[in-house]
């Protein structure tokens, strides 16, 4: 479970809210602090958008959250996604490849994440079950 103690720091919350605001402006997606994988999703959007202001706000948030804790959680996430995991479907076995995507609403989303399959969007956030 990720350490959420950084959420007690008002400066960290300001940085997080700034990141949320920039992502909302650039991509039209509203992230919420209450999401269990907030920092992972934020990291993905920082890589996708590449905005200087977003990068600065994210760096400020990382300094408050503890870079080591965040990086440890981020390193565990991609390592699981890269390995193709078989998923039993009835009598068949379907291999999950990380490069499969689903096109929804003009955007591409990975079909599988952490052994879960894409099931749709909820308020602009991809759902994996």
């Amino acid at each position: 479970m990720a350490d959420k103690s950084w959420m007690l720091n008002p400066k960290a919350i300001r940085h997080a809210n700034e990141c949320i605001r920039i992502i909302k402006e650039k991509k039209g997606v509203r992230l919420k602090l209450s999401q269990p994988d907030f920092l992972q999703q934020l990291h993905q959007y920082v890589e996708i958008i590449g905005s200087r202001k977003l990068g600065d706000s994210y760096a400020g948030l990382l300094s408050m959250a503890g870079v080591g804790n965040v990086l440890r959680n981020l390193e565990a996430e991609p390592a699981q996604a890269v390995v193709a995991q078989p998923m039993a479907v009835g009598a068949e076995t379907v291999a999950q490849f990380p490069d499969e995507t689903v096109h929804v609403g003009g955007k591409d989303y990975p079909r599988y994440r952490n052994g879960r399959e894409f099931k749709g969007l909820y308020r602009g956030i991809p759902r994996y079950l």
Side-chain angles (χ1 to χ4, degrees):
M1 174 158 275
D3 180 25
K4 301 269 184 175
S5 62
W6 62 269
M7 290 182 154
L8 298 174
N9 188 336
K11 289 181 182 178
I13 297 294
R14 281 190 213 115
H15 287 297
N17 285 333
E18 180 68 16
C19 292
I20 290 170
R21 185 187 63 75
I22 293 170
I23 292 170
K24 175 73 174 163
E25 287 176 1
K26 301 277 185 183
K27 288 290 188 182
V29 176
R30 172 118 167 101
L31 293 179
K32 295 191 183 270
L33 285 170
S34 61
Q35 293 172 321
D37 59 346
F38 172 76
L39 288 174
Q40 285 84 8
Q41 288 187 356
L42 181 59
H43 181 77
Q44 291 173 351
Y45 279 110
V46 168
E47 289 179 348
I48 291 170
I49 295 174
S51 166
R52 171 78 180 196
K53 289 175 68 175
L54 179 59
D56 291 344
S57 295
Y58 182 65
L61 176 60
L62 284 181
S63 69
M64 304 287 176
V67 177
N69 293 333
V70 174
L71 288 179
R72 224 173 299 125
N73 292 332
L74 290 176
E75 288 172 1
E77 182 87 16
Q80 294 173 356
V82 171
V83 177
Q85 302 169 350
M87 179 177 166
V89 178
E92 301 176 2
T93 302
V94 179
Q96 299 177 9
F97 298 102
D99 58 343
E100 289 184 58
T101 59
V102 177
H103 188 75
V104 177
K107 297 181 184 176
D108 290 324
Y109 298 96
R111 182 169 181 144
Y112 299 101
R113 182 188 291 170
N114 294 336
R116 297 179 178 171
E117 186 175 4
F118 179 84
K119 294 297 181 186
L121 296 175
Y122 176 73
R123 295 185 179 182
I125 307 289
R127 289 186 38 198
Y128 293 88
L129 301 174

PDB file of all heavy atoms in Angstrom, residues 75-107:
ATOM      1  N   GLU A  75       8.164   1.923  -9.912  1.00  0.00           N
ATOM      2  CA  GLU A  75       8.951   0.851 -10.508  1.00  0.00           C
ATOM      3  C   GLU A  75       8.206  -0.472 -10.450  1.00  0.00           C
ATOM      4  O   GLU A  75       8.306  -1.291 -11.347  1.00  0.00           O
ATOM      5  CB  GLU A  75      10.293   0.726  -9.798  1.00  0.00           C
ATOM      6  CG  GLU A  75      11.238   1.865 -10.113  1.00  0.00           C
ATOM      7  CD  GLU A  75      12.489   1.840  -9.266  1.00  0.00           C
ATOM      8  OE1 GLU A  75      12.636   0.920  -8.425  1.00  0.00           O
ATOM      9  OE2 GLU A  75      13.318   2.732  -9.435  1.00  0.00           O
ATOM     10  N   ALA A  76       7.435  -0.704  -9.420  1.00  0.00           N
ATOM     11  CA  ALA A  76       6.672  -1.946  -9.305  1.00  0.00           C
ATOM     12  C   ALA A  76       5.551  -1.986 -10.342  1.00  0.00           C
ATOM     13  O   ALA A  76       5.219  -3.035 -10.860  1.00  0.00           O
ATOM     14  CB  ALA A  76       6.094  -2.079  -7.905  1.00  0.00           C
ATOM     15  N   GLU A  77       4.966  -0.854 -10.662  1.00  0.00           N
ATOM     16  CA  GLU A  77       3.845  -0.782 -11.613  1.00  0.00           C
ATOM     17  C   GLU A  77       4.241  -1.221 -13.027  1.00  0.00           C
ATOM     18  O   GLU A  77       3.641  -2.133 -13.562  1.00  0.00           O
ATOM     19  CB  GLU A  77       3.311   0.656 -11.617  1.00  0.00           C
ATOM     20  CG  GLU A  77       2.141   0.892 -12.510  1.00  0.00           C
ATOM     21  CD  GLU A  77       0.832   0.601 -11.817  1.00  0.00           C
ATOM     22  OE1 GLU A  77       0.802   0.501 -10.598  1.00  0.00           O
ATOM     23  OE2 GLU A  77      -0.158   0.468 -12.537  1.00  0.00           O
ATOM     24  N   PRO A  78       5.252  -0.614 -13.688  1.00  0.00           N
ATOM     25  CA  PRO A  78       5.574  -1.028 -15.049  1.00  0.00           C
ATOM     26  C   PRO A  78       6.118  -2.441 -15.135  1.00  0.00           C
ATOM     27  O   PRO A  78       5.912  -3.121 -16.114  1.00  0.00           O
ATOM     28  CB  PRO A  78       6.631  -0.021 -15.504  1.00  0.00           C
ATOM     29  CG  PRO A  78       6.507   1.128 -14.604  1.00  0.00           C
ATOM     30  CD  PRO A  78       5.982   0.578 -13.310  1.00  0.00           C
ATOM     31  N   ALA A  79       6.815  -2.907 -14.122  1.00  0.00           N
ATOM     32  CA  ALA A  79       7.374  -4.252 -14.173  1.00  0.00           C
ATOM     33  C   ALA A  79       6.267  -5.287 -14.306  1.00  0.00           C
ATOM     34  O   ALA A  79       6.413  -6.282 -14.997  1.00  0.00           O
ATOM     35  CB  ALA A  79       8.198  -4.525 -12.920  1.00  0.00           C
ATOM     36  N   GLN A  80       5.135  -5.048 -13.672  1.00  0.00           N
ATOM     37  CA  GLN A  80       4.020  -5.970 -13.776  1.00  0.00           C
ATOM     38  C   GLN A  80       3.355  -5.854 -15.132  1.00  0.00           C
ATOM     39  O   GLN A  80       2.877  -6.831 -15.675  1.00  0.00           O
ATOM     40  CB  GLN A  80       2.990  -5.678 -12.684  1.00  0.00           C
ATOM     41  CG  GLN A  80       3.511  -5.954 -11.290  1.00  0.00           C
ATOM     42  CD  GLN A  80       2.535  -5.490 -10.236  1.00  0.00           C
ATOM     43  OE1 GLN A  80       1.523  -4.899 -10.536  1.00  0.00           O
ATOM     44  NE2 GLN A  80       2.861  -5.765  -8.984  1.00  0.00           N
ATOM     45  N   ALA A  81       3.302  -4.663 -15.697  1.00  0.00           N
ATOM     46  CA  ALA A  81       2.604  -4.455 -16.960  1.00  0.00           C
ATOM     47  C   ALA A  81       3.382  -5.019 -18.149  1.00  0.00           C
ATOM     48  O   ALA A  81       2.795  -5.421 -19.131  1.00  0.00           O
ATOM     49  CB  ALA A  81       2.343  -2.963 -17.166  1.00  0.00           C
ATOM     50  N   VAL A  82       4.707  -5.057 -18.073  1.00  0.00           N
ATOM     51  CA  VAL A  82       5.512  -5.489 -19.199  1.00  0.00           C
ATOM     52  C   VAL A  82       5.436  -7.005 -19.403  1.00  0.00           C
ATOM     53  O   VAL A  82       5.452  -7.482 -20.516  1.00  0.00           O
ATOM     54  CB  VAL A  82       6.978  -5.040 -18.995  1.00  0.00           C
ATOM     55  CG1 VAL A  82       7.887  -5.660 -20.029  1.00  0.00           C
ATOM     56  CG2 VAL A  82       7.055  -3.538 -19.054  1.00  0.00           C
ATOM     57  N   VAL A  83       5.317  -7.760 -18.335  1.00  0.00           N
ATOM     58  CA  VAL A  83       5.286  -9.217 -18.422  1.00  0.00           C
ATOM     59  C   VAL A  83       3.927  -9.648 -18.961  1.00  0.00           C
ATOM     60  O   VAL A  83       2.891  -9.244 -18.463  1.00  0.00           O
ATOM     61  CB  VAL A  83       5.522  -9.850 -17.029  1.00  0.00           C
ATOM     62  CG1 VAL A  83       5.415 -11.353 -17.107  1.00  0.00           C
ATOM     63  CG2 VAL A  83       6.860  -9.421 -16.491  1.00  0.00           C
ATOM     64  N   ALA A  84       3.924 -10.458 -20.011  1.00  0.00           N
ATOM     65  CA  ALA A  84       2.676 -10.975 -20.559  1.00  0.00           C
ATOM     66  C   ALA A  84       2.159 -12.056 -19.629  1.00  0.00           C
ATOM     67  O   ALA A  84       2.841 -13.038 -19.365  1.00  0.00           O
ATOM     68  CB  ALA A  84       2.896 -11.536 -21.953  1.00  0.00           C
ATOM     69  N   GLN A  85       0.946 -11.829 -19.101  1.00  0.00           N
ATOM     70  CA  GLN A  85       0.366 -12.768 -18.157  1.00  0.00           C
ATOM     71  C   GLN A  85      -0.801 -13.480 -18.824  1.00  0.00           C
ATOM     72  O   GLN A  85      -1.685 -12.843 -19.371  1.00  0.00           O
ATOM     73  CB  GLN A  85      -0.140 -12.024 -16.922  1.00  0.00           C
ATOM     74  CG  GLN A  85       0.937 -11.234 -16.224  1.00  0.00           C
ATOM     75  CD  GLN A  85       0.364 -10.307 -15.178  1.00  0.00           C
ATOM     76  OE1 GLN A  85      -0.829 -10.115 -15.092  1.00  0.00           O
ATOM     77  NE2 GLN A  85       1.230  -9.723 -14.380  1.00  0.00           N
ATOM     78  N   PRO A  86      -0.821 -14.816 -18.763  1.00  0.00           N
ATOM     79  CA  PRO A  86      -1.968 -15.528 -19.350  1.00  0.00           C
ATOM     80  C   PRO A  86      -3.199 -15.366 -18.474  1.00  0.00           C
ATOM     81  O   PRO A  86      -3.104 -15.308 -17.263  1.00  0.00           O
ATOM     82  CB  PRO A  86      -1.515 -16.973 -19.396  1.00  0.00           C
ATOM     83  CG  PRO A  86      -0.459 -17.077 -18.372  1.00  0.00           C
ATOM     84  CD  PRO A  86       0.180 -15.735 -18.262  1.00  0.00           C
ATOM     85  N   MET A  87      -4.359 -15.275 -19.119  1.00  0.00           N
ATOM     86  CA  MET A  87      -5.616 -15.134 -18.399  1.00  0.00           C
ATOM     87  C   MET A  87      -6.567 -16.204 -18.900  1.00  0.00           C
ATOM     88  O   MET A  87      -6.822 -16.291 -20.099  1.00  0.00           O
ATOM     89  CB  MET A  87      -6.191 -13.738 -18.650  1.00  0.00           C
ATOM     90  CG  MET A  87      -7.495 -13.470 -17.994  1.00  0.00           C
ATOM     91  SD  MET A  87      -7.942 -11.772 -18.332  1.00  0.00           S
ATOM     92  CE  MET A  87      -9.631 -11.827 -17.851  1.00  0.00           C
ATOM     93  N   ALA A  88      -7.065 -17.021 -18.013  1.00  0.00           N
ATOM     94  CA  ALA A  88      -7.953 -18.111 -18.407  1.00  0.00           C
ATOM     95  C   ALA A  88      -9.341 -17.566 -18.721  1.00  0.00           C
ATOM     96  O   ALA A  88      -9.908 -16.825 -17.938  1.00  0.00           O
ATOM     97  CB  ALA A  88      -8.038 -19.144 -17.303  1.00  0.00           C
ATOM     98  N   VAL A  89      -9.847 -17.917 -19.896  1.00  0.00           N
ATOM     99  CA  VAL A  89     -11.194 -17.538 -20.300  1.00  0.00           C
ATOM    100  C   VAL A  89     -11.893 -18.824 -20.708  1.00  0.00           C
ATOM    101  O   VAL A  89     -11.676 -19.335 -21.795  1.00  0.00           O
ATOM    102  CB  VAL A  89     -11.174 -16.533 -21.468  1.00  0.00           C
ATOM    103  CG1 VAL A  89     -12.582 -16.185 -21.896  1.00  0.00           C
ATOM    104  CG2 VAL A  89     -10.389 -15.313 -21.092  1.00  0.00           C
ATOM    105  N   GLY A  90     -12.719 -19.362 -19.815  1.00  0.00           N
ATOM    106  CA  GLY A  90     -13.356 -20.642 -20.091  1.00  0.00           C
ATOM    107  C   GLY A  90     -12.291 -21.718 -20.213  1.00  0.00           C
ATOM    108  O   GLY A  90     -11.478 -21.915 -19.330  1.00  0.00           O
ATOM    109  N   ALA A  91     -12.275 -22.423 -21.350  1.00  0.00           N
ATOM    110  CA  ALA A  91     -11.272 -23.467 -21.580  1.00  0.00           C
ATOM    111  C   ALA A  91     -10.058 -22.907 -22.310  1.00  0.00           C
ATOM    112  O   ALA A  91      -9.065 -23.588 -22.474  1.00  0.00           O
ATOM    113  CB  ALA A  91     -11.885 -24.596 -22.385  1.00  0.00           C
ATOM    114  N   GLU A  92     -10.153 -21.649 -22.761  1.00  0.00           N
ATOM    115  CA  GLU A  92      -9.064 -21.050 -23.536  1.00  0.00           C
ATOM    116  C   GLU A  92      -8.163 -20.230 -22.627  1.00  0.00           C
ATOM    117  O   GLU A  92      -8.545 -19.795 -21.560  1.00  0.00           O
ATOM    118  CB  GLU A  92      -9.622 -20.131 -24.613  1.00  0.00           C
ATOM    119  CG  GLU A  92     -10.548 -20.800 -25.583  1.00  0.00           C
ATOM    120  CD  GLU A  92     -11.132 -19.793 -26.558  1.00  0.00           C
ATOM    121  OE1 GLU A  92     -10.780 -18.611 -26.482  1.00  0.00           O
ATOM    122  OE2 GLU A  92     -11.932 -20.205 -27.375  1.00  0.00           O
ATOM    123  N   THR A  93      -6.956 -20.008 -23.084  1.00  0.00           N
ATOM    124  CA  THR A  93      -6.038 -19.110 -22.406  1.00  0.00           C
ATOM    125  C   THR A  93      -5.644 -18.016 -23.385  1.00  0.00           C
ATOM    126  O   THR A  93      -5.194 -18.298 -24.483  1.00  0.00           O
ATOM    127  CB  THR A  93      -4.775 -19.854 -21.932  1.00  0.00           C
ATOM    128  OG1 THR A  93      -5.181 -20.908 -21.074  1.00  0.00           O
ATOM    129  CG2 THR A  93      -3.852 -18.925 -21.197  1.00  0.00           C
ATOM    130  N   VAL A  94      -5.847 -16.775 -22.955  1.00  0.00           N
ATOM    131  CA  VAL A  94      -5.550 -15.629 -23.803  1.00  0.00           C
ATOM    132  C   VAL A  94      -4.345 -14.909 -23.221  1.00  0.00           C
ATOM    133  O   VAL A  94      -4.321 -14.592 -22.046  1.00  0.00           O
ATOM    134  CB  VAL A  94      -6.758 -14.659 -23.848  1.00  0.00           C
ATOM    135  CG1 VAL A  94      -6.444 -13.455 -24.711  1.00  0.00           C
ATOM    136  CG2 VAL A  94      -7.989 -15.380 -24.368  1.00  0.00           C
ATOM    137  N   ALA A  95      -3.323 -14.679 -24.035  1.00  0.00           N
ATOM    138  CA  ALA A  95      -2.132 -13.959 -23.573  1.00  0.00           C
ATOM    139  C   ALA A  95      -2.424 -12.467 -23.579  1.00  0.00           C
ATOM    140  O   ALA A  95      -3.012 -11.936 -24.507  1.00  0.00           O
ATOM    141  CB  ALA A  95      -0.947 -14.259 -24.462  1.00  0.00           C
ATOM    142  N   GLN A  96      -2.017 -11.803 -22.518  1.00  0.00           N
ATOM    143  CA  GLN A  96      -2.193 -10.360 -22.410  1.00  0.00           C
ATOM    144  C   GLN A  96      -0.889  -9.685 -22.800  1.00  0.00           C
ATOM    145  O   GLN A  96       0.130  -9.898 -22.174  1.00  0.00           O
ATOM    146  CB  GLN A  96      -2.542  -9.974 -20.984  1.00  0.00           C
ATOM    147  CG  GLN A  96      -3.823 -10.581 -20.490  1.00  0.00           C
ATOM    148  CD  GLN A  96      -4.057 -10.219 -19.039  1.00  0.00           C
ATOM    149  OE1 GLN A  96      -3.351  -9.398 -18.480  1.00  0.00           O
ATOM    150  NE2 GLN A  96      -5.044 -10.829 -18.442  1.00  0.00           N
ATOM    151  N   PHE A  97      -0.932  -8.888 -23.833  1.00  0.00           N
ATOM    152  CA  PHE A  97       0.248  -8.186 -24.289  1.00  0.00           C
ATOM    153  C   PHE A  97       0.122  -6.720 -23.914  1.00  0.00           C
ATOM    154  O   PHE A  97      -0.922  -6.114 -24.129  1.00  0.00           O
ATOM    155  CB  PHE A  97       0.430  -8.340 -25.795  1.00  0.00           C
ATOM    156  CG  PHE A  97       0.635  -9.776 -26.194  1.00  0.00           C
ATOM    157  CD1 PHE A  97      -0.394 -10.512 -26.743  1.00  0.00           C
ATOM    158  CD2 PHE A  97       1.854 -10.376 -25.988  1.00  0.00           C
ATOM    159  CE1 PHE A  97      -0.206 -11.832 -27.096  1.00  0.00           C
ATOM    160  CE2 PHE A  97       2.061 -11.689 -26.344  1.00  0.00           C
ATOM    161  CZ  PHE A  97       1.029 -12.428 -26.891  1.00  0.00           C
ATOM    162  N   PRO A  98       1.185  -6.125 -23.366  1.00  0.00           N
ATOM    163  CA  PRO A  98       1.093  -4.746 -22.897  1.00  0.00           C
ATOM    164  C   PRO A  98       0.893  -3.730 -24.022  1.00  0.00           C
ATOM    165  O   PRO A  98       0.469  -2.616 -23.760  1.00  0.00           O
ATOM    166  CB  PRO A  98       2.417  -4.517 -22.185  1.00  0.00           C
ATOM    167  CG  PRO A  98       3.338  -5.546 -22.725  1.00  0.00           C
ATOM    168  CD  PRO A  98       2.493  -6.709 -23.123  1.00  0.00           C
ATOM    169  N   ASP A  99       1.174  -4.095 -25.283  1.00  0.00           N
ATOM    170  CA  ASP A  99       1.047  -3.122 -26.358  1.00  0.00           C
ATOM    171  C   ASP A  99      -0.353  -3.090 -26.968  1.00  0.00           C
ATOM    172  O   ASP A  99      -0.612  -2.289 -27.860  1.00  0.00           O
ATOM    173  CB  ASP A  99       2.105  -3.370 -27.437  1.00  0.00           C
ATOM    174  CG  ASP A  99       2.023  -4.780 -28.021  1.00  0.00           C
ATOM    175  OD1 ASP A  99       1.389  -5.643 -27.394  1.00  0.00           O
ATOM    176  OD2 ASP A  99       2.587  -4.989 -29.099  1.00  0.00           O
ATOM    177  N   GLU A 100      -1.282  -3.934 -26.507  1.00  0.00           N
ATOM    178  CA  GLU A 100      -2.651  -3.890 -27.000  1.00  0.00           C
ATOM    179  C   GLU A 100      -3.325  -2.637 -26.461  1.00  0.00           C
ATOM    180  O   GLU A 100      -3.173  -2.295 -25.298  1.00  0.00           O
ATOM    181  CB  GLU A 100      -3.440  -5.105 -26.527  1.00  0.00           C
ATOM    182  CG  GLU A 100      -3.039  -6.391 -27.183  1.00  0.00           C
ATOM    183  CD  GLU A 100      -3.933  -7.529 -26.730  1.00  0.00           C
ATOM    184  OE1 GLU A 100      -5.151  -7.426 -26.922  1.00  0.00           O
ATOM    185  OE2 GLU A 100      -3.389  -8.477 -26.177  1.00  0.00           O
ATOM    186  N   THR A 101      -4.072  -1.948 -27.314  1.00  0.00           N
ATOM    187  CA  THR A 101      -4.765  -0.747 -26.882  1.00  0.00           C
ATOM    188  C   THR A 101      -6.231  -0.814 -27.284  1.00  0.00           C
ATOM    189  O   THR A 101      -6.617  -1.555 -28.179  1.00  0.00           O
ATOM    190  CB  THR A 101      -4.138   0.524 -27.486  1.00  0.00           C
ATOM    191  OG1 THR A 101      -4.196   0.432 -28.907  1.00  0.00           O
ATOM    192  CG2 THR A 101      -2.703   0.713 -27.033  1.00  0.00           C
ATOM    193  N   VAL A 102      -7.026   0.006 -26.593  1.00  0.00           N
ATOM    194  CA  VAL A 102      -8.445   0.148 -26.878  1.00  0.00           C
ATOM    195  C   VAL A 102      -8.676   1.614 -27.193  1.00  0.00           C
ATOM    196  O   VAL A 102      -8.218   2.499 -26.461  1.00  0.00           O
ATOM    197  CB  VAL A 102      -9.290  -0.278 -25.658  1.00  0.00           C
ATOM    198  CG1 VAL A 102     -10.767  -0.063 -25.917  1.00  0.00           C
ATOM    199  CG2 VAL A 102      -9.010  -1.710 -25.296  1.00  0.00           C
ATOM    200  N   HIS A 103      -9.365   1.898 -28.291  1.00  0.00           N
ATOM    201  CA  HIS A 103      -9.624   3.271 -28.703  1.00  0.00           C
ATOM    202  C   HIS A 103     -11.025   3.669 -28.238  1.00  0.00           C
ATOM    203  O   HIS A 103     -12.017   3.104 -28.688  1.00  0.00           O
ATOM    204  CB  HIS A 103      -9.512   3.387 -30.224  1.00  0.00           C
ATOM    205  CG  HIS A 103      -9.581   4.791 -30.724  1.00  0.00           C
ATOM    206  ND1 HIS A 103      -8.531   5.657 -30.594  1.00  0.00           N
ATOM    207  CD2 HIS A 103     -10.580   5.481 -31.324  1.00  0.00           C
ATOM    208  CE1 HIS A 103      -8.872   6.819 -31.117  1.00  0.00           C
ATOM    209  NE2 HIS A 103     -10.117   6.725 -31.558  1.00  0.00           N
ATOM    210  N   VAL A 104     -11.107   4.630 -27.314  1.00  0.00           N
ATOM    211  CA  VAL A 104     -12.384   5.084 -26.777  1.00  0.00           C
ATOM    212  C   VAL A 104     -12.361   6.607 -26.706  1.00  0.00           C
ATOM    213  O   VAL A 104     -11.430   7.198 -26.161  1.00  0.00           O
ATOM    214  CB  VAL A 104     -12.633   4.515 -25.356  1.00  0.00           C
ATOM    215  CG1 VAL A 104     -13.929   5.052 -24.779  1.00  0.00           C
ATOM    216  CG2 VAL A 104     -12.652   3.014 -25.384  1.00  0.00           C
ATOM    217  N   GLY A 105     -13.387   7.237 -27.258  1.00  0.00           N
ATOM    218  CA  GLY A 105     -13.507   8.689 -27.157  1.00  0.00           C
ATOM    219  C   GLY A 105     -12.351   9.455 -27.766  1.00  0.00           C
ATOM    220  O   GLY A 105     -11.990  10.512 -27.270  1.00  0.00           O
ATOM    221  N   GLY A 106     -11.756   8.943 -28.809  1.00  0.00           N
ATOM    222  CA  GLY A 106     -10.661   9.627 -29.476  1.00  0.00           C
ATOM    223  C   GLY A 106      -9.310   9.435 -28.816  1.00  0.00           C
ATOM    224  O   GLY A 106      -8.329  10.054 -29.199  1.00  0.00           O
ATOM    225  N   LYS A 107      -9.225   8.585 -27.792  1.00  0.00           N
ATOM    226  CA  LYS A 107      -7.966   8.336 -27.095  1.00  0.00           C
ATOM    227  C   LYS A 107      -7.703   6.840 -27.048  1.00  0.00           C
ATOM    228  O   LYS A 107      -8.623   6.033 -27.095  1.00  0.00           O
ATOM    229  CB  LYS A 107      -8.027   8.868 -25.663  1.00  0.00           C
ATOM    230  CG  LYS A 107      -8.204  10.367 -25.578  1.00  0.00           C
ATOM    231  CD  LYS A 107      -8.239  10.806 -24.149  1.00  0.00           C
ATOM    232  CE  LYS A 107      -8.507  12.297 -24.067  1.00  0.00           C
ATOM    233  NZ  LYS A 107      -8.634  12.752 -22.684  1.00  0.00           N
TER     234      LYS A 107
END
